[in-house]
Amino acid sequence: MPDLTRRSIGEGIDFLPIANHQFKTGLLTVSLHLPLQKEAAAQNAILPQLLARTCRAYPDMTALNEKLAQLYGARLFDNVGRLGENQVLSIGILFLDDRYALDDTSVSDQCAELLCDLLFDPALEDEKFRAADVEREKRVLTEVIQSEIVDKRTYSKNRCEQIMCEGEAYGVSRYGTVEQVAALTPAQVTKAWRDALENAYVSVSTLGDIKSDALVKRMQEAFSRCNRKKPERPAPQIVPAPAKVKEVAEQLPVQQAKLVLGFRTSIAEPSDEVMAARVMTALFGGTPTSKLFLNVREKLSLCYYCAARYDRQKGVLLVESGIERPNKEKAQAEILRQLDDLKQGKFTDEELAATILSVQNSFRTVSDSQFGLGNWYESQLFDRRFQSPEEAAESAGRVTRDQVIAAAKTVTLDTVYLLEGEEAKA
């Protein structure tokens, strides 16, 4: 495992250097963590893509691309994610490792300088983001939101989360809504940018064979010019399932109905039982040998797909399936029956062993990708300690039958969401 020592480099700013000699490139990422709030989601979500396009030193994409070409073809990236009930705004740069640069050039330092230019010195006009830039990125963000609506599997998952977690931050879209994006103004977005730099919990991470002293000094100097305040880092709200299951059916022009079951569990970080819950989810519906895949999909042909996913930060488990509308009741009953079988220990030692091997393999393959490895450690920022993929694989190997059964017994149905064709209105 790499030597992971997270250290504070400013008020609410942590630096995480991940030493790794496997890749010929380095990765530098700055992530701003903000509480996920309905009224602020859209204005925050537009920031990463807006900041990654231009800055005062490189006021258009042509100039910026020329600079990236000079840095051995460095590549910028941006992302809007969710970690628990936090909205995560990330901007980063992938660059050639200093070991391979000519004339002892410090590519990493130059890339850190460029990233600081983008984050702290954007192209402004009358102390606001330029109207044309904001309108361009509003169109891009609108397309992202609409793409999740067009993809009915993603849409159904999101709607189930919104219904199940109504009134909770977890139920808020990390992108906001199309209407909120349309209403954004340059002044509003500029204020959101300044507020984020002052109030967000900041994670600065490097991955690769990178000498970080100069990089850290540059980041410290940049953030010192902000009026940093102690950031708010709310823990996810773990909510028990209600006494009555919520059932919602909606109609859209779809050929294949989508059935999503939302469950609450009592297991979330930093519980010691999180790994058991992850293995249980894989046995339930996370692998090609899982209960849902083999029985609901293959044996009974009740679904086109049927899979389970578990969010260890929130303790929420979803089962997503694509079905023929007449099979809704049968599919739902069979999904719940397979869950009951897990609660009663009706699975073989061979099935559990195969599931654990699959989980371990999924962990170990994370290290094959530099971005995957970076995301792996970023997702553990609020955990008690960091685990390498290999350590997580070893932890999965220690999960017992009794722990899987105990984890399954915490799973309680909260919400049933059905997306069906418009003919169902008749």
Side-chain angles (χ1 to χ4, degrees):
M1 176 180 175
D3 180 21
L4 293 177
T5 305
R6 176 170 50 185
R7 59 189 174 98
S8 174
I9 61 172
E11 181 68 68
I13 307 168
D14 284 344
F15 175 61
L16 178 66
I18 307 167
N20 187 292
H21 309 292
Q22 175 182 349
F23 306 101
K24 295 182 179 179
T25 50
L27 191 64
L28 168 62
T29 308
V30 179
S31 296
L32 310 178
H33 297 246
L34 293 160
L36 191 50
Q37 298 173 335
K38 184 176 181 180
E39 61 276 10
Q43 65 191 35
N44 291 336
I46 201 172
L47 291 175
Q49 62 193 43
L50 183 61
L51 294 170
R53 301 295 184 267
T54 62
C55 62
R56 186 170 61 86
Y58 308 101
D60 55 55
M61 294 183 69
T62 299
L64 182 57
N65 285 331
E66 286 178 356
K67 177 62 177 178
L68 292 170
Q70 293 169 11
L71 294 171
Y72 296 90
R75 179 159 64 92
L76 290 166
F77 60 91
D78 60 88
N79 186 60
V80 180
R82 179 182 68 182
L83 184 60
E85 293 182 335
N86 288 278
Q87 187 180 24
V88 185
L89 316 177
S90 299
I91 179 171
I93 188 165
L94 182 72
F95 53 89
L96 182 71
D97 192 293
D98 289 341
R99 293 173 295 171
Y100 305 101
L102 301 175
D103 303 322
D104 295 323
T105 302
S106 178
V107 183
S108 59
D109 188 47
Q110 292 183 59
C111 286
E113 181 181 16
L114 175 58
L115 205 58
C116 285
D117 284 343
L118 294 166
L119 271 170
F120 299 99
D121 194 15
L124 302 181
E125 194 173 78
D126 297 328
E127 298 188 351
K128 298 190 293 287
F129 282 107
R130 296 177 300 194
D133 293 344
V134 173
E135 289 302 315
R136 180 190 66 233
E137 300 310 328
K138 283 169 63 174
R139 290 193 296 272
V140 173
L141 184 55
T142 297
E143 290 173 1
V144 171
I145 297 171
Q146 290 175 335
S147 71
E148 290 202 338
I149 297 173
V150 171
D151 180 352
K152 293 301 184 285
R153 180 169 181 172
T154 300
Y155 174 81
S156 300
K157 176 191 78 72
N158 292 343
R159 285 294 293 135
C160 185
E161 289 178 343
Q162 291 164 7
I163 294 163
M164 180 166 64
C165 300
E166 185 178 6
E168 304 170 47
Y170 196 81
V172 176
S173 167
R174 67 188 187 277
Y175 297 123
T177 66
V178 170
E179 293 75 19
Q180 288 172 329
V181 173
L184 291 177
T185 65
Q188 186 180 9
V189 174
T190 305
K191 183 178 184 303
W193 164 64
R194 292 198 170 101
D195 288 346
L197 290 180
E198 292 178 1
N199 299 303
Y201 163 68
V202 181
S203 167
V204 180
S205 65
T206 58
L207 197 161
D209 188 13
I210 301 170
K211 294 180 176 64
S212 59
D213 290 346
L215 183 152
V216 168
K217 184 179 179 180
R218 192 178 293 280
M219 286 290 171
Q220 287 176 315
E221 290 175 350
F223 275 106
S224 70
R225 296 191 288 270
C226 302
N227 183 24
R228 289 287 297 169
K229 301 176 179 65
K230 188 173 182 179
E232 181 183 356
R233 288 172 57 180
Q237 184 182 5
I238 309 302
V239 178
K244 184 178 180 181
V245 174
K246 297 189 283 287
E247 296 204 33
V248 175
E250 295 180 339
Q251 293 78 36
L252 285 175
V254 295
Q255 297 297 316
Q256 183 187 112
K258 310 294 182 184
L259 174 65
V260 185
L261 305 186
F263 299 86
R264 304 272 189 177
T265 80
S266 60
I267 302 174
E269 293 290 357
S271 170
D272 292 334
E273 299 306 315
V274 163
M275 186 57 73
R278 295 172 82 169
V279 172
M280 179 274 298
T281 304
L283 179 58
F284 183 33
T287 73
T289 60
S290 67
K291 292 289 187 181
L292 295 182
F293 186 89
L294 291 180
N295 293 287
V296 185
R297 183 186 186 278
E298 295 293 293
K299 183 178 179 181
L300 299 175
S301 299
L302 292 173
C303 304
Y304 294 103
Y305 64 87
C306 192
R309 68 169 77 196
Y310 166 68
D311 187 330
R312 61 190 175 86
Q313 298 291 339
K314 179 67 174 175
V316 165
L317 188 152
L318 298 181
V319 173
E320 304 169 54
S321 60
I323 62 172
E324 294 290 341
R325 176 60 183 87
N327 288 334
K328 186 265 182 183
E329 299 300 333
K330 290 181 181 178
Q332 180 176 331
E334 187 60 29
I335 290 168
L336 296 177
R337 191 178 78 80
Q338 294 300 324
L339 177 60
D340 285 339
D341 282 354
L342 287 184
K343 293 180 178 181
Q344 296 172 36
K346 294 182 179 179
F347 54 89
T348 66
D349 291 342
E350 290 75 17
E351 288 174 323
L352 178 57
T355 298
I356 289 175
L357 283 174
S358 179
V359 171
Q360 290 177 315
N361 184 63
S362 70
F363 289 159
R364 288 174 175 137
T365 56
V366 166
S367 299
D368 295 342
S369 161
Q370 198 164 11
F371 281 102
L373 197 57
N375 290 336
W376 171 271
Y377 288 110
E378 184 82 16
S379 72
Q380 300 180 60
L381 281 174
F382 301 141
D383 295 357
R384 287 179 300 179
R385 60 178 293 271
F386 288 105
Q387 272 193 324
S388 69
E390 184 58 39
E391 285 181 321
E394 293 173 0
S395 178
R398 293 191 292 270
V399 172
T400 66
R401 162 182 285 272
D402 288 343
Q403 287 177 306
V404 169
I405 294 171
K409 287 180 177 178
T410 71
V411 180
T412 306
L413 184 62
D414 181 296
T415 300
V416 177
Y417 174 78
L418 176 68
L419 178 65
E420 56 190 347
E422 292 181 321
E423 66 276 3
K425 293 180 182 178

